[in-house]
């Protein structure tokens, strides 16, 4: 006989509630019933903050900036890059011993093996050389080149005045640091005091004024342009067309009109009777039409 089946009541399933709607403005619920607020982005670090941290930790500025932005910490970088960190320690030690020494200069001292004084002196010379090069590049040299080219093509008989003698010759060609004369051969430009037509020199020479000290002992010419009395041609530009007084290193004094200013040379005199004077041959320069326009330069004793 089949057994009677007793019905067992089944409890209804509980339905889990769905996700709570988010609060307006994107604020989500936090445990305990509180709502989270959006995180405010931190302001970017200032240059002063970066420098202060880099100096304190002896690390590059980029690493200090990264820590301030929440990235890698300086101490972690120092562990990962021990050799580089050691060099930074040495440079910051130099900066402590020499106030005013910059970080790039400190690395320059470390890499060059020079003392701080030697490195800074070399850096100053390099900057002066760069300044002279820049100054020369700002002056047009076309007129001077045309004058020299005319003398060369015409095979004009010239008087090439050197420190203690005069050479009569023609100009065959021009090289970067030398004039090549027709009969005498190569003549270094630094030794040339002035250059003009032979006929003009013969008329000019008897009437020249001379500085007795320089006539007896001509001033030498420094090989480095930045150490010469005059290397920057730009201050002469305002005197073009005016009467000027030039004192050359062998004592010759010329009072003539300044016609052309070139990158390395001046041309003075009248049309057809020009005198070519290299800047390296000058020890003094003054405008005859006013003492207020006199250019500063060392005396012949300092040249």
């Amino acid at each position: 006989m089949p057994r009677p089946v007793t019905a067992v009541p089944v409890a209804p399933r509980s339905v889990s509630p769905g996700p709570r709607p988010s609060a307006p403005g994107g604020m989500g619920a936090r445990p305990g019933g509180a709502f989270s607020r959006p995180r405010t982005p931190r302001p970017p670090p200032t240059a002063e903050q970066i420098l202060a941290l880099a100096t304190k930790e002896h690390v590059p500025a980029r690493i200090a900036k990264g820590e301030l932005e929440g990235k890698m910490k300086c101490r972690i970088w120092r562990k990962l890059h021990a050799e580089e960190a050691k060099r930074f320690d040495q440079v910051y030690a130099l900066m402590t011993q020499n106030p005013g020494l910059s970080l790039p200069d400190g690395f320059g001292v470390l890499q060059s093996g020079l003392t701080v004084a030697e490195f800074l002196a070399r850096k100053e010379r390099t900057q002066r050389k760069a300044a002279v090069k820049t100054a020369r590049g700002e002056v047009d040299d076309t007129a001077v080149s045309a004058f020299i080219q005319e003398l060369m093509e015409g095979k004009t008989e010239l008087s090439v005045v050197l420190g203690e003698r005069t050479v009569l010759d023609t100009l065959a060609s021009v090289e970067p640091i030398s004039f090549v004369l027709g009969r005498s051969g190569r003549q270094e430009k630094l030794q040339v005091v002035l250059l003009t037509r032979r006929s003009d020199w013969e008329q000019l020479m008897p009437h020249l004024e001379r500085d007795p000290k320089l006539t007896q002992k001509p001033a030498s010419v420094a090989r480095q342009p930045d150490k010469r009395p005059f290397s920057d041609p730009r201050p002469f530009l305002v005197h073009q067309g005016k009467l000027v007084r030039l004192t050359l290193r062998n004592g010759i004094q010329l009072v003539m009109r300044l016609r052309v200013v070139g990158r390395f040379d001046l041309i003075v005199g009248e049309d057809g009777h020009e005198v070519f004077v290299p800047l390296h041959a000058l020890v003094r320069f003054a405008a005859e039409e006013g003492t207020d326009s006199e250019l500063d330069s060392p005396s012949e004793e300092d040249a």
Side-chain angles (χ1 to χ4, degrees):
M1 295 291 292
R3 295 181 179 180
V5 177
T6 305
V8 179
V10 178
R13 291 184 179 181
S14 60
V15 180
S16 60
R20 295 183 181 180
S22 60
M27 298 173 60
R30 301 178 64 185
F35 291 93
S36 62
R37 296 183 178 181
R39 181 176 296 179
T40 305
R42 67 175 68 185
T46 63
E48 291 78 10
Q49 291 173 329
I50 295 172
L51 178 61
L53 183 59
T55 303
K56 177 184 176 183
E57 299 291 342
H58 294 183
V59 297
R62 59 184 175 82
I63 302 301
K65 180 182 178 184
E67 176 169 330
L68 293 171
E69 292 175 343
K71 300 174 184 177
M72 181 190 296
K73 292 187 177 295
C74 296
R75 58 183 177 80
I76 302 299
W77 179 87
R78 288 183 60 83
K79 289 182 179 179
L80 296 176
H81 303 84
E83 286 297 323
E84 192 172 356
K86 181 180 178 181
R87 289 195 294 271
F88 271 87
D89 288 338
Q90 293 172 327
V91 170
Y92 275 105
L94 282 174
M95 294 170 64
T96 302
Q97 298 166 5
N98 301 272
L101 185 69
S102 66
L103 188 65
D105 286 348
F107 272 103
V109 172
L110 193 64
Q111 293 169 0
S112 65
L114 303 173
T115 65
V116 174
E118 291 170 342
F119 176 82
L120 293 179
R122 187 180 72 175
K123 179 183 176 182
E124 184 181 359
R125 289 195 302 270
T126 303
Q127 290 175 338
R128 288 200 305 265
K129 289 179 182 179
V132 169
K133 185 176 181 180
T134 300
R136 288 173 171 174
E138 294 178 2
V139 176
D140 185 11
D141 208 43
T142 305
V144 173
S145 299
F147 172 72
I148 295 296
Q149 186 68 25
E150 180 184 350
L151 296 178
M152 191 163 51
E153 292 178 351
K155 299 187 181 301
T156 307
E157 189 74 13
L158 303 173
S159 292
V160 183
V161 180
L162 309 178
E164 297 177 340
R165 63 191 179 97
T166 300
V167 177
L168 304 178
D169 211 328
T170 58
L171 186 60
S173 63
V174 179
E175 296 179 353
I177 62 172
S178 304
F179 290 119
V180 180
L181 305 180
R183 296 183 295 273
S184 305
R186 186 174 286 99
Q187 178 63 56
E188 187 181 17
K189 288 181 179 179
L190 286 183
Q191 303 306 316
V192 176
V193 174
L194 67 83
L195 182 152
T196 188
R197 297 174 180 86
R198 178 177 180 178
S199 57
D200 293 333
W201 177 246
E202 291 174 349
Q203 294 181 7
L204 180 64
M205 185 171 55
H207 308 288
L208 285 176
E209 299 179 28
R210 295 178 183 270
D211 183 299
K213 293 182 179 179
L214 291 172
T215 301
Q216 185 177 2
K217 184 179 179 181
S220 59
V221 181
R223 290 285 171 180
Q224 298 82 4
D226 56 285
K227 292 186 177 181
R228 300 171 193 162
F230 300 97
S231 293
D232 187 346
R234 295 173 299 182
F236 296 91
L237 292 172
V238 297
H239 300 285
Q240 284 189 126
K242 299 179 182 178
L243 201 63
V244 298
R245 177 181 291 272
L246 309 179
T247 302
L248 308 184
R249 68 181 188 87
N250 65 347
I252 292 176
Q253 296 183 351
L254 301 176
V255 180
M256 294 181 172
R257 197 164 302 280
L258 178 58
R259 297 177 56 83
V260 177
V261 177
R263 292 177 183 173
F264 311 94
D265 320 283
L266 305 176
I267 296 179
V268 297
E270 301 304 324
D271 189 17
H273 303 280
E274 300 90 348
V275 178
F276 170 90
V277 179
L279 284 177
H280 63 250
L282 281 178
V283 294
R284 287 196 301 272
F285 172 94
E288 286 291 287
E289 298 177 358
T291 56
D292 58 334
S293 59
E294 184 172 350
L295 295 182
D296 294 332
S297 69
S299 63
E300 61 270 20
E301 291 81 3
D302 298 331

